[in-house]
Amino acid sequence: MAIIVQKFGGTSVGTVDRIKEVAKKLIQFQQQGHDLVVVVSAMSGETNRLVGLANELNDNPQGRELDVLLSTGEQITIALLCMALEQQGVHANSYTGSQVRILTDNTHNKARIMEIDDDKIRADLAKGHIVVVAGFQGCDESGNITTLGRGGSDTTAVALAAALKADECQIYTDVDGVYTTDPRVVPEAQRLDEITFEEMLEMASLGAKVLQIRSVEFASKYNVPLRVLSSFKDGGGTLITTEETEMEQALISGIAFNRDEAKLTILGVPDSPGIATQILGPIAKQNIEVDMIIQNTGHDGTTDFTFTVHRNDYPNAMAIMEATADELGAREVNGDDKITKISIVGVGMRSHAGIANIMFESLASEGINISMISTSEIKISVVVDQKYLELGVRTLHKAFELEQK
Ligand code: ADP
Ligand code: ASP
Ligand code: MG
């Protein structure tokens, strides 16, 4: 029988009544003749609540114990959903990540899935049971509980779908698909029937949190048909495809943004070979991810160097830069943790010149200053002051006529 993996996000299982609704939906699917493997997130707000508790007790909660704590959120939901299914007369078994066993590496709080043992799941499906698996978690080789990073239940679902060679992986959430941009910021945003993996990867990595980036990478690598749909209303949702449609390509498909960026500039460093690694080496050593990098044209033997990091890493990165500045005899270090990145994404960009110009012109017409720019084949990103985020995204949405899709 066809196996379908369905994932229900936090809002979709946010209350006991919603869990009941999910159970009803699952029973209907099963009656249509599907073998069902269901992945659930923690009830909405629960993971944040747990993080809050950890913050009350520790300045920098991380590592093994944070994973032990955070994994409990999903454990609650799997049990409740199975109880709701049993109440409606359907057999269901719940599994935590380590019970399945979803084997990960040992990078706590950001683990990667390495292998999935599907024996128990297949045995349960053969008995006609619905299998309910806790998202966002696994265990390492020594049996330590690990978690996959925020939004990681999407990745659990895709990885299970790949392991089980499921017909489709369906991500049920609080929007009815992938939109041209976050519909919470631009109410005129339009749902896309399809989007390519390539575009979805860019959208996810540039801040559209509707799918965790690793889930898209996984689905693309293992050819898992992936669909985003609403838990609350019927409809076909958005299919993530390998094919670019035959139809005339839109110039751009979507706009993504990342609110939580910060930038640092070190001024007056020697303009000599090795300077980039002398500046960024100590940052990398602390596992701080660097996003955009700009080195200015040097004059008088010195240059300025700017890069961006996640806002949470800003204080650490600043402390490191001040030490580096002393070592290199730099003139000054400055920074800004109130910046955001807005990106336009689309495979259509490949074959059209002038997209960047439309972007820059329309931002300028609203008086929005761009402080950094980066491009790749199918995306252009700009850094702007955070106060311009909403205006910037709306302006670009209009400029590229995305409300008329
Ligand atoms: P879940 O709890 O179901 O995993 P998430 O909150 O992680 O849900 O993801 C869904 C949210 O993603 C939506 O409510 C929406 O605000 C946001 N989002 C951001 N960009 C987009 C986009 N381009 N299309 C759809 N939703 C988006
Ligand atoms: N509960 C986790 C989170 O809030 C994982 C998920 O929902 O995907 O990030
Ligand atoms: Mg999510």
Side-chain angles (χ1 to χ4, degrees):
M1 219 176 348
I3 300 179
I4 305 271
V5 176
Q6 299 188 327
K7 178 248 167 180
F8 291 86
T11 317
S12 315
V13 293
T15 62
V16 165
D17 284 337
R18 289 206 167 149
I19 292 177
K20 253 189 232 166
E21 290 303 312
V22 169
K24 272 193 209 147
K25 217 173 154 98
L26 293 175
I27 293 168
Q28 282 170 6
F29 275 118
Q30 197 189 34
Q31 284 166 350
Q32 289 164 11
H34 297 298
D35 275 347
L36 280 187
V37 177
V38 184
V39 173
V40 282
S41 289
M43 295 167 81
S44 57
E46 179 65 5
T47 310
N48 287 342
R49 187 184 74 86
L50 295 168
V51 170
L53 291 177
N55 281 327
E56 280 184 41
L57 292 165
N58 193 299
D59 294 338
N60 185 19
Q62 55 177 321
R64 184 180 186 279
E65 301 314 322
L66 184 63
D67 281 349
V68 173
L69 177 71
L70 296 191
S71 65
T72 61
E74 273 69 13
Q75 190 170 339
I76 293 172
T77 332
I78 54 171
L80 292 177
L81 179 58
C82 285
M83 287 177 194
L85 286 163
E86 297 280 351
Q87 178 67 29
Q88 295 179 45
V90 169
H91 291 296
N93 290 344
S94 70
Y95 294 99
T96 63
S98 44
Q99 283 174 327
V100 170
R101 168 181 198 239
I102 297 179
L103 182 69
T104 70
D105 64 13
N106 59 6
T107 322
H108 283 290
N109 318 148
K110 238 184 177 176
R112 280 180 181 272
I113 296 177
M114 289 159 43
E115 203 179 285
I116 294 183
D117 185 350
D118 60 4
D119 289 354
K120 286 194 198 108
I121 297 178
R122 288 195 188 274
D124 285 349
L125 291 177
K127 285 187 246 165
H129 295 185
I130 292 180
V131 179
V132 180
V133 179
F136 173 59
Q137 56 181 270
C139 67
D140 70 9
E141 258 167 352
S142 315
N144 296 300
I145 295 174
T146 53
T147 63
L148 310 179
R150 299 303 304 265
S153 300
D154 298 332
T155 303
T156 305
V158 174
L160 278 169
L164 293 161
K165 303 199 171 48
D167 278 22
E168 194 163 282
C169 181
Q170 301 175 340
I171 307 289
Y172 285 89
T173 182
D174 56 5
V175 272
D176 61 349
V178 178
Y179 276 66
T180 46
T181 192
D182 189 339
R184 287 182 211 221
V185 171
V186 182
E188 296 80 23
Q190 297 290 308
R191 188 179 59 77
L192 302 164
D193 289 332
E194 291 187 356
I195 183 168
T196 65
F197 274 110
E198 221 183 342
E199 289 169 321
M200 195 61 234
L201 265 177
E202 289 283 9
M203 291 283 281
S205 66
L206 295 168
K209 69 171 191 165
V210 59
L211 286 173
Q212 197 198 34
I213 174 155
R214 286 211 185 134
S215 71
V216 188
E217 285 168 359
F218 226 102
S220 164
K221 184 163 169 198
Y222 295 99
N223 264 322
V224 176
L226 180 61
R227 194 183 287 278
V228 176
L229 315 108
S230 165
S231 291
F232 308 112
K233 73 182 214 213
D234 292 337
T238 301
L239 183 68
I240 327 292
T241 60
T242 40
E243 300 301 317
E244 289 173 24
T245 44
E246 301 286 311
M247 289 183 329
E248 200 194 334
Q249 267 306 330
L251 291 181
I252 75 161
S253 300
I255 302 172
F257 51 84
N258 200 335
R259 294 176 190 272
D260 308 314
E261 303 247 335
K263 72 172 175 180
L264 296 98
T265 302
I266 181 164
L267 296 117
V269 290
D271 189 12
S272 55
I275 194 67
T277 161
Q278 279 172 292
I279 294 170
L280 295 179
I283 296 281
K285 249 195 212 119
Q286 294 300 311
N287 272 328
I288 297 176
E289 260 178 59
V290 170
D291 181 15
M292 289 192 199
I293 302 171
I294 291 179
Q295 183 176 335
N296 289 358
T297 319
H299 45 96
D300 304 332
T302 68
T303 186
D304 306 334
F305 194 94
T306 305
F307 60 94
T308 62
V309 296
H310 191 280
R311 201 169 288 175
N312 292 347
D313 292 324
Y314 181 67
N316 269 343
M318 194 42 123
I320 296 170
M321 266 314 93
E322 271 158 6
T324 307
D326 280 345
E327 261 169 50
L328 298 176
R331 195 166 70 243
E332 191 190 333
V333 179
N334 63 36
D336 184 353
D337 65 348
K338 302 209 166 30
I339 57 161
T340 50
K341 182 169 72 174
I342 305 178
S343 310
I344 58 174
V345 174
V347 290
M349 214 180 273
R350 275 196 192 114
S351 48
H352 292 270
I355 304 286
N357 199 41
I358 301 177
M359 182 180 199
F360 303 153
E361 223 170 54
S362 52
L363 292 174
S365 72
E366 293 294 338
I368 301 174
N369 189 45
I370 300 171
S371 62
M372 294 173 87
I373 300 169
S374 98
T375 64
S376 77
E377 213 188 358
I378 66 161
K379 74 117 203 282
I380 304 170
S381 301
V382 296
V383 166
V384 301
D385 191 307
Q386 69 175 16
K387 68 174 183 254
Y388 292 126
L389 174 74
E390 275 83 9
L391 178 63
V393 174
R394 280 194 219 116
T395 302
L396 293 172
H397 200 267
K398 234 197 212 119
F400 288 100
E401 299 176 348
L402 292 176
E403 75 275 17
Q404 292 160 25
K405 258 196 173 319

